[in-house]
Amino acid sequence: MIKQRSLLRAAPITALLLVIPACSTQNADPLLLDGNSPTVDAGTDTSSDSVATEPQGRQGKLAEERTRFLVKKALQDANRYRANNEPQLAMAVLLDAQKYDPDNRNVQRAIVSLRAELGLAAGLSMTFAQAMQNRVQIQQERARAQVKQGLQEGRQLLDEHKYDLAIHEFRTAALRIEALPHVGWDGLDDQVRGLLKTARAQRTAHEVEMVTSQQQEAMDRLRAAEAEEQARISAHVNSLIHLGQRAFVDRKFKSAQQLAEEALEHEPTNVVARDLANAAFKSLRTNSRDRYYKVKANEYLKLARNASDVKNPQTDIIQINSEKWARAINRGGRSLPTVGESPEDSALRKKVSESIIGKMSFSEDGNGPYLDAFKVLDNQTQVPIIVTPEGKQVIEDEDLKLNFDLVTEMTLENMLDHMAGKSEALAWTVRHGVVIVTNKAKAGGDNLLITHDIRNLIFPITEFLPPAISDLPTGEDESTTPRTGGESDEKVAFIEIDTLVSNIKTSTDAEYWDGDSGANIDQVEGGFLLVKANPKMQRAVAAFLDDMDRFSTAVVTVGTKFLTINEHFLQEVGIDFRGTGGSGNKGLVAPLDDLTNGQANNAGRGLDNSGTLDPAASPTSGFFYDDGGDGDFRGRTENYFTDKLGKILTPTGGLTAAFTYLDDLQVNMIFRAVQKTENAQLVNAQNVTVLNNNRANVSVINQTSYVRDFDVEVAQASFIADPKIDVIHDGLVLDVRPIIRYDRRSVTLIMEPTVAVLQRPIPLFTTSLAGSTLPVTLQLPVLTVKSFATTAQVPDGGTVLIGGLRTILSRERRAETPILAKIPVLSFFFKSEGVIDEASSLMVMVKAQITDVVDTMNEYKGR
């Protein structure tokens, strides 16, 4: 009917066409006519029996010209619609033209030809309404076909794992369905939505799988590189050990020791290398130990021959227990308190998170202003978005605009977060079934009044001080804290209430609390906070307090082991000529008259005078010769030292032998040889459990009384020495403060271990007091203290080894007779040699285990 009215409006134009001659063409297809074709006389037919030749008046000619023009125009329009592949509209125009001139052969031929093209039976007629209905039906069929084709192509792309292209096809099909909601899709719409959801899920799973695969490949490459490096180091160490064994067999002990020490630098735990280093060091001291050399040489020859069978280098990398790491990493937090939400708002919030925004552009001159952008998002996603006056005020004050091209799909939720993130005052929320864009104070909802219990956070906790063993007592009250340790006078809370309130405001939103939202935090006596805020801020406050509560109630069990390793070696060999005429009257007693044991000469130290230490006596000779003439020859050799060779091992024991030769020449030779070794390991293990960020100590101490001083008291002209007794402490003390990290995967330990060793017996000092002639004996304790302070971070359940407290004493000394000690062979009888090696190492192993009280309670509740 629309086309018919347009044709009727064109009727007055026929008055201008009265002078146009009319003609007809019988053999031309009327649907092939265009504006350049000869005009057709709609009222002339060569096959008719009669032809109108006479005019019927002016009105009749106008009607005739009008009919001719309408028919011609209808044929031209039908030709154009046919060329545009719109046969239904062409048929409707021809049917209207047939009403004006039912006998026109050109119109009839065009209708017959178009019926054949449409596959209609001859003689059937079609109205304009039927033609439009058929057109709508064809469009629907075409849309179904396109959707089915999109589904087929999408399934094929999905099978080929081309997820992005498949999603594009399914999304295009979904948009076609949304554009034609009244079409009966016969389940195609459900298929499209299901496949679109499946494609997105598979793409997400594929991306996760790809990321996981890449991470695994990176870890495998790292492990392979570490294993290769470890294998290279092991091969190098084995080569050094092999060369060292060969050098030891060839009696090149110095080279063997250097090669073994180099191997230990690369692999400190290698038992063979350490044994080789010790063997080379011992063999280097003396070449006279043939038996020791032969035994070790045979062992290393066997190892060298059987190297291919027994060599099994350790190439695996020592790792922390994976189960403990997994338990620490997978540990999650508790659920936070929530404020109820209506089902309508929950459904809309879900829709906001799932609604997809396609590719679009935002510009400052176009749809970039926020108010226009929100309208665009509303129209595209069909999600109602309302900007409140407060939100408009923020947008206008900050002149917020978007200026970017969205080249990939994103959810409406992410888009809203992006737009709100450009302003510190703008926010959005879901309320009453619509998305509301407003300021942050209004977005959280109406203020609520909730009381929070914080007594466990502000409760004052006692701090325990460790015993003081790092110094000697002075007898003066230097501190009110006892030397055995105890409680500190000042109790410290986990956090002060003022600091807690300040942290809550800072961590949530300081501007919100300082603004005109009406929110505030009041302190209630007894350990409570009265919080007035909107539901969103209440959840944030609850989450903050929950985290603080978790950290304040968590405890750490600290297990310590003090491992002391002692390796001592002493060797002393010497010969003296002294003591003729000694026990049993072996030879003559021939003292050296010009020498004394006193301070002038300090000869012999009185050891060969029956131990009397008489300073006026003269030492005896070691060899005596009297030729019967006017004089004789007397002499002796002394290889004494005034101090001990070592601190731990003493040279007493071993072999002491006397060889006496009696003739005209009398000789008494004293031979001494001693060798000592000591290897000891001392382990002290203690455990202590302490609250997070609190101080605790573990002590294993000895208390020893000693006489520190004397007080002189006068009673009846007599002087009485009153002793002052004090107590000294020695042993082990570990002062530790654990701090749990925020993710509760590891613990930072602040440690200060102290080891004090008291020399026993305590050295004595004898003196006299003023006014008293009686001697008194004081004790002067010697305390060796090893202490250090360090900070270490260990995983939950992990162990850290702390070393470095090592004491090494290495001394070699020699006493000899000049000139005679340089003569080969003879030099052995005129010298004394000693060597001492004392090594003491202290290592501390600390293990930290987090115990989450909240998790433990939840586990018991779930049973």
Side-chain angles (χ1 to χ4, degrees), residues 42-45 67-68 70-71 93-112 115:
T44 305
D45 190 352
T67 300
R68 186 185 301 115
L70 292 177
V71 172
V93 172
L94 291 174
L95 292 175
D96 289 339
Q98 193 177 26
K99 294 179 181 179
Y100 298 106
D101 192 357
D103 298 329
N104 190 290
R105 293 298 182 87
N106 292 329
V107 176
Q108 292 177 358
R109 290 194 191 95
I111 292 175
V112 173
R115 284 200 185 101

Side-chain angles (χ1 to χ4, degrees), residues 722-737:
D722 184 14
K724 293 183 177 181
I725 307 299
D726 211 332
V727 178
I728 188 172
H729 299 154
D730 68 325
L732 306 175
V733 174
L734 176 63
D735 188 11
V736 61
R737 181 190 297 273

Side-chain angles (χ1 to χ4, degrees), residues 385-421:
I385 301 176
I386 296 177
V387 182
T388 64
E390 293 81 6
K392 291 181 180 179
Q393 185 66 33
V394 174
I395 294 173
E396 293 175 357
D397 292 343
E398 300 184 11
D399 193 18
L400 299 178
K401 295 181 181 180
L402 295 177
N403 188 13
F404 69 94
D405 294 331
L406 186 61
V407 297
T408 58
E409 294 181 349
M410 68 184 305
T411 62
L412 178 59
E413 182 180 13
N414 293 337
M415 186 65 181
L416 293 175
D417 291 338
H418 172 73
M419 296 176 67

Side-chain angles (χ1 to χ4, degrees), residues 161 163 200-212:
H161 305 293
Y163 302 108
R200 287 173 176 166
Q202 291 185 7
R203 180 179 65 179
T204 302
H206 177 70
E207 291 175 351
V208 173
E209 182 180 359
M210 290 295 294
V211 172
T212 304

Side-chain angles (χ1 to χ4, degrees), residues 638-639 814-819 821-822 827 830-833:
E638 296 180 350
N639 295 314
R814 176 188 180 103
E816 61 184 20
T817 303
I819 302 176
K822 305 299 182 182
S827 63
F830 294 96
K831 67 180 180 181
S832 176
E833 294 180 328

Side-chain angles (χ1 to χ4, degrees), residues 54 120 134 419 545 763:
E54 295 182 359
L120 300 176
N134 290 339
M419 296 176 67
L545 293 177

Side-chain angles (χ1 to χ4, degrees), residues 338-347 349 429-431:
T338 58
V339 179
E341 190 175 48
S342 65
E344 182 182 6
D345 290 348
S346 299
R349 190 177 294 277
T429 185
V430 175
R431 195 179 302 158

